Amino acid sequence: MKKNLILASFIVLFGCNNASKQESQETTEEEKKELSFTVNVTNPTAAARTGVLVMVKENELPSDFNHAAFTVMDGETEIPSQYNEKGAKGLAFVIDDLAASAQKKYTVEYDKEGTRSHDYTKRTQAELSIKEGGEWQGKEYVGGTFKNVDSLRKPDQHTDHAWYIRYEGPGWESDLVGYRFYLDWRNATDVFGKTGRGMELQHVGQEGFDSYHNFNDWGMDVLKVGESLGVGSIATFQDGKAMRVAETDSIISKIAENGAVYSEIQTDYYGWKIADKDLDLKSVISIHAGTRLSKEHLELEKELDNIATGLHKDKGTKLFSSEGDANSWGYLATYGAQSLNQDNLGIAVLFSNSDFMSFEEDEFSHIVTLKPTGKKVDYYFLAAWEKESGGITTEEEFLQYLKDTAAELAKPVQVSITQ
């Protein structure tokens, strides 16, 4: 009798332990299931795409999403990604190849607590580098060494060729091309052509302040800006000419994001004096991996008749333009032997047809004027140098690339999440 009781107790205990173990496994599996969601990406056009940015905004993510511990998976393959804390807040990753009319699903796995470390190849960069340890002597900064900073209020005495900011302003790049703008009265955007796919800005201007005007192993400054709009510079068209953001009360520029696949620079112009007005202007420039495009997002404090942008005018180039329509963004572009190295360079600005006002020109620039909506306007700009690794080398290739890009901007990929 006692043996039977012991056996019965053992069976009950073993059965309970088994049930408990099974329940624990089911709970663990359920927790695993809860710690993921799916990002659905659809290509709405019958054309393959490369370098596609996928952004899931902060307010679209699960409420318990852990920004510090997540991984994006394409089946069994990990996709480099990042979470933007300061700039365009949310989850970002890039699809290098998206087939025509494709519908893709990506799984985002995350932990409720802790962190996950990743070692992704850096494919974008943004930096702002100033001298420290020297001193101002009039309008020149003498001595000191360069150090990267996250934010800078432009010193009141700073002007062009002050030797204070490395390559004279903030810089940003993708694996295809680099850009900078002058953080002084010129406020114009320039191009760094690259011969490879690595990050190069950290080397630019370290050996001789303007050494980047000469051909280097990494590439060179390829565009002559002068008094023009360079490529995509901010302006307004007044009295027959493009007026850049030249006179302000103060300027603060900061590196909002400097990630593996996405980087962003925010610049606040306080007291821009233009068209009998005094207004504040916010500029947000962003770039992502696998693209030549830089996006310019502008926010005005007050109404302005127009925002203008455009391109350096060069006699050795052909001019191309389109107002755009529902199926294609408009563009203003030039192509030809206009680089400082006297080789082929294509530059362009692209804009929504709904914002388009007119094409103009002045002595120095080809110009497009845009109408801000709600005191905001977006446009893109790009450069394609023939000495890029695997780059565009003919006018025909550039025009096809330009038209394909304009069509993609009009029909962006569709992104949604399911949990």
Side-chain angles (χ1 to χ4, degrees), residues 292 335 343-345 384-398:
R292 297 179 181 86
Y335 189 85
D343 37 35
N344 287 323
L345 172 69
W385 185 39
E386 73 168 320
K387 285 188 164 27
E388 291 174 13
S389 175
I392 294 168
T393 59
T394 69
E395 179 184 305
E396 292 74 20
E397 289 177 340
F398 178 71

Side-chain angles (χ1 to χ4, degrees), residues 350-362:
L350 300 100
F351 48 87
S352 172
N353 170 261
S354 61
D355 297 330
F356 174 75
M357 293 179 66
S358 65
F359 290 121
E360 308 286 351
E361 67 175 315
D362 64 13

Side-chain angles (χ1 to χ4, degrees), residues 116 176 211 223 228 261 306 337 371 384 415:
R116 293 189 187 186
L176 300 182
S211 58
L223 185 64
S228 77
V261 298
N306 68 79
K371 183 66 177 177
V415 179

